[in-house]
Amino acid sequence: MNCCGLLTAQKEPVPLKSIEVELEVRDHVATVVSTLTYENKEDKPVEAVFVFPLPGDAAVCHFSAKIGQTQIVAEVKEKQQAREEYDDALSSGQQAFLLEESEQSPDIFTLSVGSLPPGESASIRLEYVTELAVQADDGLRFCLPAVLNPRYQPQGSGGSEGASVQVTSVPASLVPYSLSFSARVSSPRPVSKVESNCSLDPLQHLNTEQTQATVKLAAGHKFDRDVELLIYYKDAHQPTAVVEAGQTTAKTGTLMGDPVVMLSLYPEFPQSVMSSVASCGEFVFLLDRSGSMDCPTDDSMQEATRICSARDTLLLLLKSLPMGCYFNIYSFGDTYEHIFPKSVEYCEKTLEEAVKKVEEMAADLGGTEILESLKHIYSQPCIPNQPRQLFVFTDGEVFNTKEVINLVKKNSGSHRCFSFGIGEGASSALINGLAKEGGGHAQFITGTDRMQPKVMQSLRFALQPAVEDISVTWDLPKGVSVTVLSPPITAVFQGQRSLLYAQLTGQSSEASEGSVMVKYSLAGHPSQSQLHFSLKPAEDTGLTVHRLGARTLIRSLEMEEKDDEAPQDEGVKERVVELSVQSGVSSSYTAFIVVNKGNGEPIEGPLVRRNIPTSMLGGMMYSRCDILVFDDSSTCEDFQYCEPMWRNKDASEEYTRISSDEDMDGSSLACLGNVEAPTIKKPPRDPLLQLVSLQKASGYWLLDPALAAALGKTSKEVDKTKPPAVNQEMWATVLALIWLYSFKMDAKEEWELLAMKAVSWLRAQNAPCVAECVEAGKALLGCEVQKDFLGL
């Protein structure tokens, strides 16, 4: 385990004092500058080690240290060389700083600050650039991960990291450093609003066109959640191109010396195709049942847990599937389980069996070993004429991220993968990587977000016909050639952006133009979209586009290197190191190194290591290998951070929280005294989900007491008002639809697909009395709906 938590009773001082984050958003690209201030108040030199998350697709491009008035900018070097220089510096009494990206997951970094003399302070400046993902409501999502969940390392996978690091996890109230956060947003289009899961000061527009604005995190922010911003522009979905000039000091013909173009493409599909819903497909659902899925979905002890939310969402998905498709449900932890030995046809019998098994699912399978369950799924033969759609639900706390993503990539030709990151701290590298390599779509569910609307959007994508035969053609002036840095586009969805990076080599007049044509086939119909752009470089973009392009190419090469079945190219690692050093962008094979040689005098005294703690979510952390030990002299008052999770009836008793190999993910409690477990109130079932649970596979409802209760009526009231010529199933189905359209229109995106199925069932009955049925239903439920709301 190379990420685990250990907190001792000594209450040692922590050298990290503050984190200041400045965010600059230009259209859909973000530059993030973090300043971390350290101070050593001990009487001996310390080495401070801080493990923290970054967005999985971030390109770390600057690292520097300021000691006193001296600013030293880090160099990017091959990782082993950088580690040796860092160790050599510490052994000779010099200050050194090392920043490393995890070799297993690109969203985890380790920052080592050593050695900090007694009474000294140092400021670390870290800069990265990242793209902002488009959400279902057209907002652009930026997430500053403030919570680092320890990652589960599967048994038998020996960690190959050079630095084995412990991560201390404490509640937000006890994190000993502060966070300040500010953002500046600019775009060619007006900034309409900025929303957040955290309290913000009011948005301030900087010009009359409202194309520039600033916003700050309100004072008093606690480290109990990621800082998530949703940025909304007017008319955001417009294809754009940005050409960035090369670095003047770099050699022409190299990535950094040539111009680089970033294209944002938004293909539009014909409405006739988009309105049709596929009635076939093999839908495979993979649910995380590791111990951490028992965490609350937000920071309230009274809210539903992640596993409860996932169960409800699975129910909604199952009810929304079309007749004639195939499906199966897998779940994983230390091992994996499946409801059926192989995918089965969707019918009333198989649906009832699946729903019953889903309702019994608990977060009781231990660790987060997703790899073996995926291998089993891919070993199952695909069903002819039933395109496979894989839905993965996980809190994303795995260690072998790249290995998992590579497996999905190998099998990308046989399926589409839709991934859902549940809860704070879910690995963005894992969730985005699964969807990107699987030709699907990624969603994150955090805080008080409802999982259902986001998942149903992905189901709509899955029910769309797959875009096939995608090709990209460039038309550039004579003398200009293109080298595409991005991997080939494998998936296109309505309203979703596709990004392309390319290096432009050669000379052209500034007035010249280029164009790119994207061709594809949708439901057998050839389509295309074209974007014209000027080759004149944009002003004041820095090297953001170059760094994002370099990051994209580096990630592609790293995945190629990790491919166990592909013939190994000895030059891939060397190519990655060369690109990383040339562009100044981090990779799994390089590290940033700073050595402060100063006046050459060694620092006196033995070096002491201090691991910087990271925040638990809302005072609760079901982390892997968490060890919380009370010594003989400790009482519960000495450890107030235990209070939210366990209340000790007798403070004189001692207890230990441990994890065993059998339950690495559950953080089980071994009680040595009289310990009272907290009672978590189970929330009442959502009325919408109650109604959904009663629908039959083909789309109708039965007229029974459960339906009457879901509608807020008695069985007597429902039976008494039924028109005589109407059968019970039709009456029940019309009532359910009227209730949905009258009382749940705010959640229409959640139930629209199953309502379409119900309407199709009604149409098949060819009953002449539907209008009478609707009028009677409106009178019973006391509501009004349009006469044609059923489309009949």
Side-chain angles (χ1 to χ4, degrees):
M1 187 61 59
N2 96 323
C3 285
C4 59
L6 174 64
L7 198 60
T8 65
Q10 280 71 35
K11 297 187 178 179
E12 295 159 336
V14 176
L16 180 60
K17 308 312 291 183
S18 66
I19 302 177
E20 179 183 348
V21 179
E22 296 175 339
L23 168 68
E24 182 172 1
V25 177
R26 293 184 179 178
D27 210 2
H28 55 252
V29 171
T31 301
V32 186
V33 178
S34 299
T35 303
L36 297 85
T37 301
Y38 293 80
E39 183 180 0
N40 181 15
K41 292 187 176 181
E42 300 188 53
D43 57 2
K44 48 189 171 292
V46 300
E47 177 188 20
V49 180
F50 185 36
V51 179
F52 58 98
L54 288 179
D57 55 359
V60 177
C61 54
H62 175 88
F63 177 56
S64 60
K66 186 176 182 181
I67 306 102
Q69 299 302 311
T70 305
Q71 183 87 16
I72 309 172
V73 178
E75 296 179 76
V76 179
K77 296 187 177 182
E78 191 276 326
K79 183 174 283 187
Q80 190 56 40
Q81 179 186 350
R83 287 171 176 167
E84 290 173 0
E85 289 188 17
Y86 177 80
D87 291 339
D88 289 345
L90 295 193
S91 63
S92 61
Q94 294 176 320
Q95 284 181 317
F97 305 83
L98 182 69
L99 179 68
E100 301 179 68
E101 174 186 317
S102 167
E103 291 172 10
Q104 297 297 329
S105 185
D107 61 344
I108 299 297
F109 282 77
T110 301
L111 172 58
S112 302
V113 178
S115 116
L116 201 57
E120 282 246 352
S121 62
S123 290
I124 304 299
R125 180 184 169 96
L126 173 69
E127 181 177 332
Y128 66 86
V129 291
T130 186
E131 303 149 356
L132 302 185
V134 182
Q135 302 303 288
D137 61 356
D138 297 344
L140 294 171
R141 178 180 184 264
F142 169 78
C143 182
L144 177 71
V147 178
L148 173 59
N149 289 343
R151 300 294 168 83
Y152 183 83
Q153 180 174 334
Q155 295 180 9
S157 60
S160 60
E161 300 281 349
S164 179
V165 178
Q166 293 177 329
V167 181
T168 305
S169 298
V170 299
S173 60
L174 293 184
V175 171
Y177 44 89
S178 61
L179 170 70
S180 64
F181 176 88
S182 62
R184 181 185 178 99
V185 183
S186 60
S187 171
R189 296 168 292 280
V191 182
S192 56
K193 62 179 177 178
V194 176
E195 296 179 347
S196 178
N197 61 331
C198 304
S199 297
L200 298 176
D201 290 341
L203 182 70
Q204 302 288 329
H205 285 101
L206 302 180
N207 57 4
T208 55
E209 296 83 7
Q210 297 190 342
T211 58
Q212 297 182 16
T214 61
V215 69
K216 290 183 178 180
L217 197 63
H221 171 75
K222 294 185 175 4
F223 281 78
D224 57 353
R225 66 193 64 193
D226 298 345
V227 178
E228 183 180 71
L229 289 188
L230 291 173
I231 301 164
Y232 296 87
Y233 301 131
K234 292 181 181 177
D235 303 320
H237 284 191
Q238 299 296 322
T240 57
V242 177
V243 177
E244 184 177 81
Q247 196 172 19
T248 54
T249 56
K251 184 180 177 182
T252 302
T254 64
L255 173 59
M256 300 305 290
D258 285 343
V260 170
V261 60
M262 176 177 64
L263 302 175
S264 302
L265 307 172
Y266 289 94
E268 291 294 328
F269 298 162
Q271 186 58 39
S272 59
V273 176
M274 297 309 301
S275 59
S276 64
V277 175
S279 60
C280 63
E282 180 196 7
F283 296 88
V284 180
F285 304 106
L286 179 58
L287 176 63
D288 187 343
R289 286 173 57 191
S290 60
S292 56
M293 288 289 287
D294 236 351
C295 286
T297 51
D298 70 2
D299 58 352
S300 169
M301 290 282 288
Q302 302 300 317
E303 292 294 331
T305 59
R306 297 172 184 175
I307 191 68
C308 289
S309 182
R311 280 199 308 260
D312 288 343
T313 303
L314 262 180
L315 170 68
L316 189 60
L317 279 167
L318 288 172
K319 296 290 185 175
S320 301
L321 292 179
M323 293 295 286
C325 73
Y326 286 73
F327 78 105
N328 202 354
I329 300 172
Y330 291 78
S331 54
F332 68 92
D334 285 333
T335 182
Y336 62 88
E337 298 177 358
H338 43 70
I339 291 182
F340 305 106
K342 62 180 181 179
S343 294
V344 295
E345 187 172 357
Y346 182 79
C347 64
E348 191 58 46
K349 180 177 181 294
T350 55
L351 174 62
E352 285 185 3
E353 184 176 349
V355 168
K356 183 179 179 181
K357 293 286 182 64
V358 167
E359 289 176 345
E360 296 171 352
M361 286 182 174
D364 56 2
L365 292 186
T368 315
E369 297 199 26
I370 187 174
L371 193 64
E372 294 305 314
S373 59
L374 283 172
K375 286 180 179 178
H376 178 81
I377 290 170
Y378 293 138
S379 72
Q380 302 298 303
C382 292
I383 302 170
N385 302 315
Q386 301 286 347
R388 179 174 288 174
Q389 317 284 350
L390 175 62
F391 287 68
V392 180
F393 300 86
T394 177
D395 54 16
E397 301 174 10
V398 303
F399 177 74
N400 55 340
T401 300
K402 290 186 178 179
E403 192 176 359
V404 172
I405 293 172
N406 199 49
L407 179 65
V408 173
K409 180 182 179 181
K410 289 178 187 174
N411 292 276
S412 59
S414 65
H415 77 306
R416 287 191 288 186
C417 182
F418 299 87
S419 54
F420 306 90
I422 305 170
E424 308 290 345
S427 168
S428 60
L430 177 70
I431 304 306
N432 287 326
L434 289 174
K436 183 176 181 180
E437 298 300 339
H441 188 251
Q443 301 270 24
F444 289 87
I445 299 101
T446 58
T448 57
D449 286 353
R450 279 178 61 82
M451 190 185 301
Q452 288 84 359
K454 294 189 175 185
V455 173
M456 295 311 292
Q457 184 202 36
S458 292
L459 179 58
R460 289 187 184 88
F461 285 153
L463 291 170
Q464 291 176 16
V467 175
E468 299 174 326
D469 304 324
I470 305 173
S471 66
V472 178
T473 307
W474 297 78
D475 184 10
L476 298 170
K478 187 177 181 181
V480 180
S481 60
V482 62
T483 303
V484 179
L485 307 174
S486 304
I489 299 176
T490 57
V492 178
F493 295 105
Q494 172 73 11
Q496 292 297 302
R497 181 190 65 208
S498 295
L499 282 177
L500 276 180
Y501 296 93
Q503 175 183 344
L504 303 176
T505 304
Q507 297 293 323
S508 66
S509 65
E510 288 194 347
S512 59
E513 279 195 350
S515 70
V516 63
M517 176 83 74
V518 181
K519 296 181 180 180
Y520 50 89
S521 175
L522 181 65
H525 302 289
S527 301
Q528 64 183 39
S529 59
Q530 188 171 20
L531 174 62
H532 293 270
F533 59 93
S534 169
L535 293 179
K536 182 180 179 180
E539 296 180 2
D540 195 28
T541 58
L543 290 169
T544 301
V545 175
H546 279 75
R547 286 163 175 161
L548 287 171
R551 186 282 323 271
T552 300
L553 182 55
I554 285 170
R555 290 286 181 260
S556 298
L557 290 169
E558 286 175 337
M559 289 299 294
E560 183 181 322
E561 176 74 7
K562 296 291 182 183
D563 190 342
D564 297 330
E565 294 182 6
Q568 293 299 301
D569 182 355
E570 293 295 329
V572 171
K573 179 179 178 180
E574 287 75 10
R575 173 70 171 141
V576 169
V577 171
E578 179 188 359
L579 269 171
S580 179
V581 171
Q582 180 192 133
S583 62
V585 170
S586 63
S587 77
S588 59
Y589 299 124
T590 54
F592 287 87
I593 176 72
V594 172
V595 176
N596 179 27
K597 298 178 181 177
N599 57 13
E601 295 181 3
I603 297 168
E604 300 293 334
L607 185 64
V608 180
R609 180 162 170 144
R610 295 288 181 254
N611 293 320
I612 309 297
T614 57
S615 170
M616 288 195 233
L617 175 59
M620 296 185 70
M621 174 64 83
Y622 296 85
S623 61
R624 289 36 157 192
C625 198
D626 266 356
I627 308 173
L628 186 59
V629 180
F630 283 57
D631 61 21
D632 292 340
S633 62
S634 302
T635 67
C636 195
E637 283 81 358
D638 291 329
F639 293 84
Q640 295 177 358
Y641 51 82
C642 298
E643 171 66 18
M645 199 179 316
W646 302 103
R647 184 171 290 106
N648 194 347
K649 293 180 180 177
D650 184 350
S652 66
E653 297 288 338
E654 59 184 356
Y655 61 90
T656 307
R657 177 185 172 197
I658 64 172
S659 291
S660 66
D661 289 339
E662 288 73 27
D663 185 21
M664 293 291 289
D665 211 68
S667 295
S668 58
L669 187 78
C671 299
L672 304 179
N674 189 11
V675 178
E676 178 184 0
T679 57
I680 299 178
K681 183 180 178 182
K682 187 176 181 180
R685 188 160 202 182
D686 186 305
L688 172 60
L689 292 173
Q690 181 63 29
L691 184 77
V692 167
S693 69
L694 299 172
Q695 190 186 32
K696 298 300 180 179
S698 56
Y700 68 90
W701 276 264
L702 290 175
L703 193 66
D704 59 16
L707 176 66
L711 298 174
K713 300 294 177 181
T714 65
S715 294
K716 185 176 180 181
E717 289 174 313
V718 173
D719 291 336
K720 182 179 177 181
T721 53
K722 182 180 79 68
V726 177
N727 67 40
Q728 291 189 342
E729 287 79 10
M730 177 171 286
W731 175 232
T733 303
V734 169
L735 285 177
L737 287 169
I738 291 174
W739 187 86
L740 289 172
Y741 275 93
S742 299
F743 302 112
K744 289 296 177 181
M745 281 300 289
D746 59 335
K748 185 179 180 182
E749 57 193 346
E750 300 182 33
W751 52 260
E752 189 173 25
L753 289 175
L754 61 88
M756 289 169 59
K757 191 161 61 167
V759 169
S760 295
W761 180 85
L762 283 173
R763 284 176 178 160
Q765 308 311 302
N766 287 321
C769 49
V770 173
E772 180 188 358
C773 202
V774 170
E775 291 304 316
K778 287 159 56 178
L780 172 64
L781 297 177
C783 56
E784 189 63 46
V785 291
Q786 296 296 323
K787 289 183 179 181
D788 60 349
F789 81 106
L790 294 180
L792 299 173

Short mmCIF file of all heavy atoms in Angstrom, two decimals, residues 401-435:
data_model
loop_
_atom_site.label_atom_id
_atom_site.label_comp_id
_atom_site.label_asym_id
_atom_site.label_seq_id
_atom_site.Cartn_x
_atom_site.Cartn_y
_atom_site.Cartn_z
N THR A 401 -4.66 2.82 -11.97
CA THR A 401 -5.51 3.53 -12.92
C THR A 401 -5.12 3.27 -14.36
O THR A 401 -5.96 2.96 -15.21
CB THR A 401 -5.46 5.04 -12.63
OG1 THR A 401 -5.92 5.27 -11.30
CG2 THR A 401 -6.31 5.83 -13.61
N LYS A 402 -3.84 3.40 -14.66
CA LYS A 402 -3.40 3.26 -16.06
C LYS A 402 -3.63 1.84 -16.59
O LYS A 402 -3.97 1.66 -17.75
CB LYS A 402 -1.92 3.65 -16.18
CG LYS A 402 -1.69 5.14 -15.99
CD LYS A 402 -0.24 5.54 -16.25
CE LYS A 402 -0.05 7.04 -16.11
NZ LYS A 402 1.35 7.46 -16.33
N GLU A 403 -3.47 0.84 -15.73
CA GLU A 403 -3.69 -0.54 -16.14
C GLU A 403 -5.16 -0.77 -16.49
O GLU A 403 -5.50 -1.44 -17.47
CB GLU A 403 -3.25 -1.48 -15.02
CG GLU A 403 -3.18 -2.94 -15.44
CD GLU A 403 -2.65 -3.83 -14.33
OE1 GLU A 403 -2.32 -3.33 -13.24
OE2 GLU A 403 -2.58 -5.06 -14.56
N VAL A 404 -6.06 -0.18 -15.69
CA VAL A 404 -7.50 -0.32 -15.93
C VAL A 404 -7.88 0.37 -17.24
O VAL A 404 -8.59 -0.19 -18.08
CB VAL A 404 -8.30 0.28 -14.75
CG1 VAL A 404 -9.78 0.34 -15.08
CG2 VAL A 404 -8.07 -0.53 -13.48
N ILE A 405 -7.40 1.59 -17.43
CA ILE A 405 -7.73 2.35 -18.64
C ILE A 405 -7.19 1.65 -19.88
O ILE A 405 -7.85 1.60 -20.93
CB ILE A 405 -7.17 3.79 -18.54
CG1 ILE A 405 -7.91 4.55 -17.43
CG2 ILE A 405 -7.30 4.53 -19.86
CD1 ILE A 405 -7.31 5.91 -17.13
N ASN A 406 -6.01 1.08 -19.77
CA ASN A 406 -5.42 0.40 -20.91
C ASN A 406 -6.25 -0.82 -21.32
O ASN A 406 -6.38 -1.13 -22.51
CB ASN A 406 -3.99 -0.02 -20.59
CG ASN A 406 -3.18 -0.31 -21.84
OD1 ASN A 406 -3.17 0.48 -22.78
ND2 ASN A 406 -2.52 -1.44 -21.86
N LEU A 407 -6.83 -1.52 -20.34
CA LEU A 407 -7.68 -2.67 -20.65
C LEU A 407 -8.93 -2.21 -21.43
O LEU A 407 -9.34 -2.87 -22.39
CB LEU A 407 -8.09 -3.37 -19.36
CG LEU A 407 -9.02 -4.58 -19.53
CD1 LEU A 407 -8.32 -5.71 -20.29
CD2 LEU A 407 -9.52 -5.08 -18.16
N VAL A 408 -9.51 -1.10 -21.02
CA VAL A 408 -10.68 -0.57 -21.73
C VAL A 408 -10.29 -0.18 -23.15
O VAL A 408 -11.02 -0.43 -24.11
CB VAL A 408 -11.26 0.64 -20.97
CG1 VAL A 408 -12.38 1.31 -21.78
CG2 VAL A 408 -11.79 0.20 -19.61
N LYS A 409 -9.11 0.42 -23.29
CA LYS A 409 -8.65 0.83 -24.62
C LYS A 409 -8.50 -0.38 -25.55
O LYS A 409 -8.89 -0.33 -26.72
CB LYS A 409 -7.31 1.56 -24.49
CG LYS A 409 -6.73 2.03 -25.82
CD LYS A 409 -5.38 2.71 -25.62
CE LYS A 409 -4.80 3.16 -26.95
NZ LYS A 409 -3.48 3.81 -26.77
N LYS A 410 -7.95 -1.48 -25.03
CA LYS A 410 -7.77 -2.69 -25.85
C LYS A 410 -9.10 -3.22 -26.36
O LYS A 410 -9.15 -3.83 -27.43
CB LYS A 410 -7.08 -3.78 -25.02
CG LYS A 410 -5.62 -3.52 -24.72
CD LYS A 410 -5.09 -4.67 -23.86
CE LYS A 410 -3.68 -4.38 -23.39
NZ LYS A 410 -3.20 -5.42 -22.44
N ASN A 411 -10.16 -3.01 -25.60
CA ASN A 411 -11.46 -3.56 -25.96
C ASN A 411 -12.42 -2.49 -26.50
O ASN A 411 -13.62 -2.71 -26.57
CB ASN A 411 -12.09 -4.24 -24.73
CG ASN A 411 -11.33 -5.48 -24.30
OD1 ASN A 411 -11.55 -6.56 -24.82
ND2 ASN A 411 -10.42 -5.32 -23.36
N SER A 412 -11.87 -1.34 -26.87
CA SER A 412 -12.72 -0.24 -27.29
C SER A 412 -13.49 -0.54 -28.57
O SER A 412 -14.54 0.06 -28.82
CB SER A 412 -11.88 1.04 -27.48
OG SER A 412 -10.87 0.82 -28.46
N GLY A 413 -13.01 -1.47 -29.38
CA GLY A 413 -13.70 -1.79 -30.63
C GLY A 413 -14.97 -2.58 -30.43
O GLY A 413 -15.79 -2.69 -31.36
N SER A 414 -15.19 -3.11 -29.22
CA SER A 414 -16.34 -3.99 -28.99
C SER A 414 -17.44 -3.35 -28.16
O SER A 414 -18.48 -3.97 -27.92
CB SER A 414 -15.88 -5.28 -28.29
OG SER A 414 -15.39 -4.98 -26.99
N HIS A 415 -17.24 -2.10 -27.70
CA HIS A 415 -18.24 -1.51 -26.80
C HIS A 415 -18.02 -0.01 -26.67
O HIS A 415 -17.03 0.54 -27.13
CB HIS A 415 -18.14 -2.15 -25.43
CG HIS A 415 -16.99 -1.65 -24.60
ND1 HIS A 415 -15.68 -1.66 -25.04
CD2 HIS A 415 -16.94 -1.10 -23.36
CE1 HIS A 415 -14.90 -1.16 -24.11
NE2 HIS A 415 -15.63 -0.81 -23.08
N ARG A 416 -18.99 0.64 -26.02
CA ARG A 416 -18.83 2.01 -25.55
C ARG A 416 -18.90 2.00 -24.03
O ARG A 416 -19.69 1.26 -23.44
CB ARG A 416 -19.93 2.92 -26.12
CG ARG A 416 -19.75 3.24 -27.59
CD ARG A 416 -20.68 4.35 -28.06
NE ARG A 416 -22.08 3.93 -28.15
CZ ARG A 416 -23.05 4.70 -28.65
NH1 ARG A 416 -22.76 5.92 -29.10
NH2 ARG A 416 -24.28 4.26 -28.71
N CYS A 417 -18.06 2.81 -23.39
CA CYS A 417 -17.97 2.83 -21.93
C CYS A 417 -18.42 4.18 -21.39
O CYS A 417 -17.85 5.21 -21.76
CB CYS A 417 -16.54 2.52 -21.48
SG CYS A 417 -16.35 2.47 -19.68
N PHE A 418 -19.40 4.17 -20.50
CA PHE A 418 -19.91 5.38 -19.85
C PHE A 418 -19.56 5.28 -18.36
O PHE A 418 -19.90 4.30 -17.70
CB PHE A 418 -21.42 5.51 -20.04
CG PHE A 418 -21.83 5.62 -21.48
CD1 PHE A 418 -22.05 4.48 -22.25
CD2 PHE A 418 -21.97 6.85 -22.09
CE1 PHE A 418 -22.40 4.57 -23.58
CE2 PHE A 418 -22.32 6.97 -23.43
CZ PHE A 418 -22.54 5.82 -24.18
N SER A 419 -18.86 6.29 -17.85
CA SER A 419 -18.33 6.19 -16.49
C SER A 419 -18.90 7.28 -15.60
O SER A 419 -19.20 8.40 -16.05
CB SER A 419 -16.80 6.29 -16.52
OG SER A 419 -16.38 7.47 -17.20
N PHE A 420 -19.02 6.95 -14.30
CA PHE A 420 -19.62 7.87 -13.33
C PHE A 420 -18.77 7.89 -12.07
O PHE A 420 -18.62 6.86 -11.40
CB PHE A 420 -21.05 7.43 -13.00
CG PHE A 420 -21.91 7.28 -14.23
CD1 PHE A 420 -21.98 6.05 -14.89
CD2 PHE A 420 -22.60 8.34 -14.76
CE1 PHE A 420 -22.74 5.89 -16.03
CE2 PHE A 420 -23.35 8.20 -15.92
CZ PHE A 420 -23.42 6.98 -16.55
N GLY A 421 -18.20 9.04 -11.75
CA GLY A 421 -17.42 9.21 -10.54
C GLY A 421 -18.32 9.70 -9.42
O GLY A 421 -18.92 10.77 -9.51
N ILE A 422 -18.41 8.93 -8.34
CA ILE A 422 -19.36 9.21 -7.26
C ILE A 422 -18.62 9.74 -6.05
O ILE A 422 -17.72 9.09 -5.52
CB ILE A 422 -20.14 7.94 -6.88
CG1 ILE A 422 -20.82 7.34 -8.12
CG2 ILE A 422 -21.19 8.25 -5.82
CD1 ILE A 422 -21.40 5.97 -7.88
N GLY A 423 -18.98 10.93 -5.58
CA GLY A 423 -18.44 11.45 -4.34
C GLY A 423 -17.18 12.28 -4.53
O GLY A 423 -16.53 12.27 -5.57
N GLU A 424 -16.84 13.01 -3.45
CA GLU A 424 -15.64 13.85 -3.47
C GLU A 424 -14.39 12.98 -3.58
O GLU A 424 -14.31 11.91 -2.99
CB GLU A 424 -15.57 14.67 -2.18
CG GLU A 424 -16.83 15.45 -1.85
CD GLU A 424 -17.07 16.61 -2.78
OE1 GLU A 424 -16.13 16.99 -3.50
OE2 GLU A 424 -18.20 17.13 -2.80
N GLY A 425 -13.43 13.45 -4.33
CA GLY A 425 -12.15 12.76 -4.41
C GLY A 425 -12.10 11.63 -5.40
O GLY A 425 -11.07 10.95 -5.50
N ALA A 426 -13.17 11.39 -6.16
CA ALA A 426 -13.12 10.34 -7.19
C ALA A 426 -12.04 10.70 -8.20
O ALA A 426 -11.89 11.85 -8.59
CB ALA A 426 -14.48 10.21 -7.88
N SER A 427 -11.29 9.71 -8.62
CA SER A 427 -10.15 9.93 -9.51
C SER A 427 -10.63 10.42 -10.88
O SER A 427 -11.27 9.68 -11.63
CB SER A 427 -9.35 8.64 -9.68
OG SER A 427 -8.42 8.76 -10.74
N SER A 428 -10.30 11.66 -11.22
CA SER A 428 -10.67 12.18 -12.54
C SER A 428 -9.91 11.46 -13.63
O SER A 428 -10.42 11.29 -14.75
CB SER A 428 -10.41 13.69 -12.60
OG SER A 428 -9.04 13.98 -12.38
N ALA A 429 -8.70 11.01 -13.33
CA ALA A 429 -7.92 10.27 -14.33
C ALA A 429 -8.62 8.97 -14.70
O ALA A 429 -8.69 8.60 -15.88
CB ALA A 429 -6.51 9.97 -13.80
N LEU A 430 -9.17 8.28 -13.71
CA LEU A 430 -9.86 7.02 -13.97
C LEU A 430 -11.18 7.25 -14.70
O LEU A 430 -11.45 6.64 -15.74
CB LEU A 430 -10.12 6.28 -12.66
CG LEU A 430 -10.92 4.98 -12.79
CD1 LEU A 430 -10.08 3.91 -13.48
CD2 LEU A 430 -11.41 4.49 -11.43
N ILE A 431 -12.02 8.15 -14.18
CA ILE A 431 -13.36 8.35 -14.74
C ILE A 431 -13.28 8.89 -16.16
O ILE A 431 -13.94 8.37 -17.08
CB ILE A 431 -14.17 9.30 -13.83
CG1 ILE A 431 -14.23 8.78 -12.39
CG2 ILE A 431 -15.58 9.49 -14.41
CD1 ILE A 431 -14.74 7.38 -12.25
N ASN A 432 -12.47 9.93 -16.38
CA ASN A 432 -12.33 10.48 -17.73
C ASN A 432 -11.64 9.49 -18.67
O ASN A 432 -11.99 9.39 -19.84
CB ASN A 432 -11.55 11.79 -17.69
CG ASN A 432 -12.37 12.92 -17.10
OD1 ASN A 432 -13.57 12.99 -17.29
ND2 ASN A 432 -11.72 13.82 -16.38
N GLY A 433 -10.65 8.76 -18.13
CA GLY A 433 -9.91 7.81 -18.97
C GLY A 433 -10.78 6.67 -19.45
O GLY A 433 -10.68 6.25 -20.62
N LEU A 434 -11.65 6.13 -18.59
CA LEU A 434 -12.54 5.05 -18.99
C LEU A 434 -13.43 5.49 -20.16
O LEU A 434 -13.59 4.76 -21.15
CB LEU A 434 -13.43 4.63 -17.82
CG LEU A 434 -12.77 3.88 -16.66
CD1 LEU A 434 -13.76 3.69 -15.52
CD2 LEU A 434 -12.25 2.53 -17.12
N ALA A 435 -14.01 6.69 -20.04
CA ALA A 435 -14.91 7.17 -21.08
C ALA A 435 -14.16 7.53 -22.36
O ALA A 435 -14.61 7.20 -23.47
CB ALA A 435 -15.69 8.38 -20.58
#
